[in-house]
Amino acid sequence: MNISEAARRSGLSAKTIRYYEDIDLIAPAARGQNGYRQYDHKAVEELHFLARAREVGFDLLECRQLLDLQRDSSRQSRHARQLVLEKSQQLQTRIEQLVAMQNVLHSMADRCKGDEGPACAILEDLAGATEGEGDA
Amino acid sequence: MNISEAARRSGLSAKTIRYYEDIDLIAPAARGQNGYRQYDHKAVEELHFLARAREVGFDLLECRQLLDLQRDSSRQSRHARQLVLEKSQQLQTRIEQLVAMQNVLHSMADRCKGDEGPACAILEDLAGATEGEGDA
DNA sequence: TGTAAACCTTCCCGTGGCTGTAAGGTCAAG
DNA sequence: CTTGACCTTACAGCCACGGGAAGGTTTACA
């Protein structure tokens, strides 16, 4: 099948598939007589694997490692598990950051009247508060 | 004061301050006889404002709007509040995405033995499951 | 047979928000 | 008089692509 069909089946865009080939994340695709890339079931499976790995947060370097494991019949599952646990911890950290940011935003919105006047707790917050800005 | 002192006080890097000037987010800094950028208290306050706005998740376009409001004495606080509520909603969406991703990762890790053997629920998950891949 | 649409190819630019590095000028201390 | 810490500009690189140009191929249909 051609690249757009492989894209449709794998969940990646054709652009992305070419890009993955460019950076040697996947092997160069076979080519038809017309120069078009050709994909078989196995190739699509690998692309789908990458799509799934990206969806759950792995970057391309990590995808490469996962793919290496996937291809290696003498792999050890603890390596895959290690990658997953690390990624989970990274997500946890990021989530906590975002929640903290959101708490600040909520606090700001709560204290701002949000009316037609210029007085604004939000802008005051942004201008002032890092706490401990007094002459202590 | 010179740029590195302004950086220290504002919480931005010197690089970032120059970048903000480059993209006209802030007015060009005054220059000393030697060509060095000079910052006064007011300039540092604006930089600090930007640092705080970035910390809570605003991108540079939004920072520009917030700064415009901050500078406008005839502003309406509802505009600032609107920006905060929108940002909060964006963060909420992003948090939910990350939590969903983490749930998948947890599920994978739970079902993977993580031992020396090649059998691995994680890699199976990534290879297979988008659900409904059977011959339904 | 013509032709238009829908594919495909390579190539290079742009994104956001910076950081790193190079190549040089300036300044304060010893 | 040198060393080292500043400062300047300018350009490259990061990540993971997407957009679009300029051209070749294939397919459908009048």
Side-chain angles (χ1 to χ4, degrees):
Chain A
M1 81 196 76
N2 288 344
I3 197 169
S4 65
E5 178 66 12
R8 204 185 55 71
R9 295 199 195 179
S10 66
L12 297 171
S13 72
K15 274 279 194 189
T16 297
I17 294 174
R18 290 194 199 97
Y19 173 66
Y20 286 178
E21 187 180 315
D22 257 20
I23 63 170
D24 291 314
L25 181 56
I26 54 175
R31 299 289 182 132
Q33 289 183 330
N34 51 16
Y36 289 13
R37 289 178 181 80
Q38 293 299 318
Y39 298 87
D40 58 15
H41 180 66
K42 191 157 162 296
V44 169
E45 271 185 1
E46 218 168 59
L47 293 171
H48 184 214
F49 180 96
L50 289 169
R52 285 276 294 168
R54 293 286 296 126
E55 280 170 19
V56 296
F58 290 105
D59 62 32
L60 293 187
L61 187 55
E62 291 157 344
C63 284
R64 207 181 287 268
Q65 300 179 60
L66 287 167
L67 211 45
D68 284 345
L69 289 174
Q70 172 72 353
R71 290 164 174 157
D72 177 8
S73 59
S74 70
R75 72 194 172 221
Q76 302 185 346
S77 70
R78 64 189 174 91
H79 292 143
R81 192 157 193 274
Q82 180 63 22
L83 285 170
V84 166
L85 293 178
E86 279 170 16
K87 182 53 58 184
S88 177
Q89 182 54 56
Q90 288 170 24
L91 289 187
Q92 184 61 36
T93 300
R94 185 63 185 145
I95 288 166
E96 283 164 12
Q97 285 173 0
L98 294 181
V99 167
M101 287 156 61
Q102 216 190 11
N103 286 340
V104 175
L105 291 175
H106 281 158
S107 156
M108 284 176 173
D110 282 352
R111 283 176 295 110
C112 175
K113 284 190 293 185
D115 60 12
E116 322 294 309
C120 181
I122 291 164
L123 297 171
E124 283 170 24
D125 260 29
L126 291 175
T130 314
E131 94 218 29
E133 204 156 7
D135 50 335
Chain B
M1 83 195 75
N2 288 344
I3 197 169
S4 65
E5 178 66 12
R8 203 184 56 71
R9 295 199 195 180
S10 66
L12 297 172
S13 73
K15 274 281 195 190
T16 297
I17 294 174
R18 289 193 199 97
Y19 174 66
Y20 286 179
E21 187 180 316
D22 257 19
I23 63 171
D24 291 314
L25 181 57
I26 53 176
R31 299 288 182 131
Q33 289 183 328
N34 51 17
Y36 289 12
R37 288 176 180 80
Q38 293 299 318
Y39 297 87
D40 58 14
H41 181 66
K42 192 157 162 294
V44 170
E45 270 186 0
E46 217 167 58
L47 293 172
H48 182 64
F49 181 95
L50 289 169
R52 285 275 295 169
R54 294 288 293 126
E55 280 168 20
V56 297
F58 290 105
D59 63 31
L60 293 187
L61 187 55
E62 292 157 345
C63 284
R64 208 181 287 268
Q65 300 179 61
L66 286 167
L67 211 45
D68 284 346
L69 289 173
Q70 172 73 351
R71 289 164 174 155
D72 178 9
S73 59
S74 70
R75 71 192 173 223
Q76 302 185 347
S77 70
R78 65 190 174 89
H79 292 143
R81 192 158 192 275
Q82 181 63 23
L83 285 170
V84 165
L85 293 178
E86 280 170 15
K87 182 52 57 184
S88 177
Q89 183 53 57
Q90 288 170 24
L91 289 187
Q92 183 62 38
T93 300
R94 185 63 184 144
I95 288 166
E96 283 164 13
Q97 285 173 359
L98 294 182
V99 167
M101 289 156 61
Q102 216 190 11
N103 286 341
V104 175
L105 291 175
H106 281 157
S107 156
M108 285 176 173
D110 282 352
R111 283 176 295 109
C112 174
K113 284 191 293 184
D115 60 13
E116 322 295 309
C120 181
I122 291 163
L123 297 171
E124 282 169 24
D125 260 29
L126 292 175
T130 314
E131 95 220 29
E133 204 156 6
D135 48 338

